Amino acid sequence: MINRILIRIKVLQIVYSYYQNGNGDLKVAENELLFSLQKSYDLYHYFLLLIVEITNLQKRLLDIRKNKYMPTEAELNPNTRLIDNRFAAQVEQNEFLQKHVAEQGISWSNDEDFIKSVLDLILNSDLYAEYLDNKEDSYEIDKEFWRMVFKKIICNNTTIEDYLEDKSIYWNDDVEIIETFILKTIKKFDEEAGNKQPLLPMFKDMEDKNFAIQLFRQSILKGKEFRERINKHMKNWETERIANMDLIIMQVALAEIMSFPTIPTSVTLNEYIDAAKYYSTPKSGTFINGILDSIVNELKKEKLLLKD
């Protein structure tokens, strides 16, 4: 589930933090990287659990209204299609979700106001009205409803994203990426799988986990060597005016270029130039592209880089 785009972002963040903290403890920083990646995987489960919490909150609210003094006819006989949603029930019963929630202590128990705000967004949406009006009643309709809730109401909702980023500092750059994995997961759900529906693994394979660890280690262990080469190619630039994040991005990019022969150089360059647009200055992408391109050509001339 944790793809290489997210891994690169996390490595950039930890390398930056490593130099900012100045304690020079590689193992501590590496553990922080793995913890940060674990928190991304937790967020994936938080989103799935959100479906359960929203459903259960609606159940509680309907029960409260039904049992109040002199309830209305509508309160006594509410539309229960949302709380009877088969897909939501399947998510709640999913043994992999339950296991992760128990092991990691994941809970929305202190976030009822937030859950209520998301529930209100859903109940007041055209999407919900269309769901209630749909004459077809099936698992697939229930599943598609929640897929569209995420796609149209939850994903890219700045209020929701801001809340999640405030909930954990580790989620500052994760939310949009993890949302795409939730949409993929919902699409993969099958009614026949019941509570054993597989969820996405933390890493696609051990190769991706090793990529994260090795990229971080090489960025630090060969950092001085990479910085010297970068500095040599910045002779026409005023060093003190260059954003520190630009240097970190180039350092990590060189670690990837030099350490992973199967990853095309062009792929690496594009990934870190894109990262610069989000994590540094508006002009950083052009600057980083120019410096790295010059370094790559030099490495090829020196026969230190043999891949394209």
Side-chain angles (χ1 to χ4, degrees):
M1 187 215 76
I2 295 176
N3 62 12
R4 295 199 173 184
I5 294 173
L6 187 54
I7 288 171
R8 290 181 178 102
I9 290 170
K10 294 295 185 181
V11 170
L12 284 172
Q13 291 172 341
I14 300 300
V15 171
Y16 181 85
S17 176
Y18 176 86
Y19 288 114
Q20 289 294 106
N21 293 338
N23 60 18
D25 193 323
L26 185 66
K27 190 60 182 176
V28 168
E30 186 176 306
N31 288 339
E32 180 71 6
L33 171 63
L34 294 175
F35 182 75
S36 180
L37 291 169
Q38 176 63 56
K39 295 300 287 184
S40 297
Y41 196 45
D42 288 348
L43 178 58
Y44 170 73
H45 290 82
Y46 264 104
F47 269 128
L48 290 172
L49 193 59
L50 184 60
I51 296 170
V52 177
E53 294 298 330
I54 288 170
T55 303
N56 287 338
L57 177 58
Q58 177 69 345
K59 286 179 185 176
R60 293 196 298 274
L61 292 174
L62 292 182
D63 284 341
I64 289 169
R65 291 165 191 160
K66 186 182 293 187
N67 292 302
K68 76 177 189 180
Y69 181 67
M70 295 184 67
T72 65
E73 181 64 26
E75 289 169 334
L76 283 171
N77 299 285
N79 190 310
T80 61
R81 190 161 191 179
L82 179 63
I83 65 175
D84 293 335
N85 185 284
R86 302 169 186 84
F87 171 74
Q90 185 185 17
V91 172
E92 182 173 20
Q93 296 159 9
N94 185 273
E95 63 178 31
F96 303 106
L97 177 61
Q98 290 180 355
K99 183 173 184 289
H100 190 89
V101 165
E103 289 177 348
Q104 299 300 321
I106 288 174
S107 172
W108 287 106
S109 59
N110 296 322
D111 304 275
E112 186 160 313
D113 288 344
F114 170 71
I115 303 297
K116 178 66 165 58
S117 69
V118 180
L119 173 60
D120 287 342
L121 285 175
I122 294 170
L123 297 181
N124 293 321
S125 68
D126 292 339
L127 185 63
Y128 178 67
E130 291 166 7
Y131 176 58
L132 295 186
D133 289 341
N134 194 333
K135 302 302 180 185
E136 186 178 345
D137 183 21
S138 67
Y139 169 85
E140 290 301 326
I141 293 297
D142 286 350
K143 183 176 82 166
E144 179 62 12
F145 168 72
W146 273 108
R147 190 183 75 84
M148 294 305 292
V149 165
F150 267 90
K151 185 175 181 179
K152 292 191 173 183
I153 297 175
I154 295 176
C155 293
N156 300 314
N157 183 305
T158 54
T159 302
I160 292 174
E161 290 176 357
D162 287 346
Y163 185 88
L164 292 171
E165 289 173 0
D166 287 341
K167 188 173 175 66
S168 173
I169 60 171
Y170 293 97
W171 296 344
N172 286 349
D173 300 292
D174 294 11
V175 177
E176 289 186 21
I177 294 174
I178 302 302
E179 285 171 343
T180 65
F181 290 125
I182 291 298
L183 290 172
K184 290 177 182 177
T185 297
I186 293 174
K187 197 170 183 180
K188 285 178 178 289
F189 259 68
D190 181 356
E191 186 175 19
E192 295 299 317
N195 68 345
K196 298 187 183 300
Q197 172 67 44
L199 302 181
L200 296 178
M202 183 169 172
F203 293 101
K204 182 181 67 177
D205 49 39
M206 283 304 297
E207 187 177 337
D208 275 356
K209 183 177 182 180
N210 291 334
F211 171 75
I213 294 170
Q214 290 304 315
L215 180 60
F216 171 71
R217 287 179 180 172
Q218 293 302 305
S219 297
I220 300 299
L221 294 175
K222 295 185 177 179
K224 184 178 178 182
E225 172 189 331
F226 295 147
R227 285 292 184 102
E228 288 174 355
R229 198 173 282 273
I230 291 166
N231 288 337
K232 186 171 70 171
H233 287 263
M234 293 196 311
K235 58 187 177 182
N236 296 323
W237 297 81
E238 296 180 45
T239 307
E240 65 275 9
R241 296 183 63 184
I242 295 169
N244 189 41
M245 193 62 188
D246 289 357
L247 298 174
I248 298 294
I249 290 170
M250 288 187 285
Q251 181 176 332
V252 177
L254 285 176
E256 182 172 321
I257 288 169
M258 298 299 291
S259 305
F260 298 93
T262 61
I263 302 176
T265 301
S266 60
V267 170
T268 299
L269 291 175
N270 288 337
E271 290 292 342
Y272 290 97
I273 290 165
D274 282 346
K277 296 174 184 176
Y278 292 99
Y279 298 104
S280 201
T281 69
K283 296 182 179 179
S284 291
T286 301
F287 166 68
I288 287 172
N289 184 40
I291 297 294
L292 288 179
D293 189 57
S294 178
I295 293 173
V296 165
N297 289 332
E298 179 182 69
L299 290 169
K300 287 180 177 180
K301 287 178 183 178
E302 295 174 8
K303 299 193 183 301
L304 295 174
L305 183 63
L306 302 178
K307 65 179 180 179
D308 292 329

